[in-house]
Amino acid sequence: MTANFVTAFSVKSFDVPDKKRYPDKAEVDLVSVNDYSVARLILAPGWQWSVSSKPTEQTEFCEHNHLGFCISGTLEIATPDGLRTIIRANDTYAIPPGHDERVVGSEPFVAVEFLGAASFGRPSSRGQHVRM
């Protein structure tokens, strides 16, 4: 197991992100603190990975790992083998590759992600994780 250590102070605000992306029905604000990328995701009602992201990702399912915290809204996760789960406000989550996601209801899904963040909304990432 690899250990990660924070070796210097770094403070960034999503009010002034290092990078912004606007994939279909989504907004992604990215900040980099030391060697870590963190994203604020805002997924609009009606957003679904298999409809909004699959064409640019060019994979059958979302192949990103996700580690995050939901601020508001509801997101349903579904796997090809039929597993379903719901993420709601104040939930922390870890999602392995191989899933579909969709916003449930009329409220945007807003979350902060610590893993999988830098690649979200990047054209043709094919599930590849990279720094911003």
Side-chain angles (χ1 to χ4, degrees):
M1 179 179 221
T2 304
N4 293 318
F5 297 99
V6 175
T7 58
F9 285 106
S10 185
V11 177
K12 298 272 183 92
S13 172
F14 283 122
D15 291 336
V16 185
D18 294 323
K19 206 174 255 190
K20 289 181 87 58
R21 294 189 184 133
Y22 298 95
D24 185 39
K25 296 183 180 175
E27 180 179 333
V28 182
D29 297 322
L30 293 159
V31 295
S32 180
V33 287
N34 295 330
D35 291 333
Y36 302 95
S37 295
V38 181
R40 175 175 54 188
L41 305 178
I42 303 170
L43 306 177
W47 181 91
Q48 183 167 349
W49 184 90
S50 57
V51 174
S52 299
S53 295
K54 183 177 179 175
T56 57
E57 290 281 336
Q58 301 175 5
T59 56
E60 189 62 26
F61 296 96
C62 179
E63 296 300 331
H64 296 282
N65 295 283
H66 300 275
L67 176 65
F69 172 76
C70 175
I71 296 169
S72 62
T74 304
L75 191 71
E76 179 182 46
I77 311 300
T79 65
D81 60 358
L83 177 68
R84 291 189 182 282
T85 193
I86 298 286
I87 298 169
R88 293 181 177 87
N90 295 317
D91 288 346
T92 55
Y93 56 88
I95 306 167
H99 59 273
D100 194 7
E101 308 160 294
R102 73 177 184 93
V103 174
V104 177
S106 60
E107 182 181 0
F109 177 78
V110 180
V112 174
E113 290 209 348
F114 303 95
L115 183 61
S119 299
F120 192 90
R122 204 178 90 241
S124 300
S125 68
R126 297 178 191 262
Q128 298 288 320
H129 291 278
V130 296
R131 286 185 43 97
M132 297 190 324

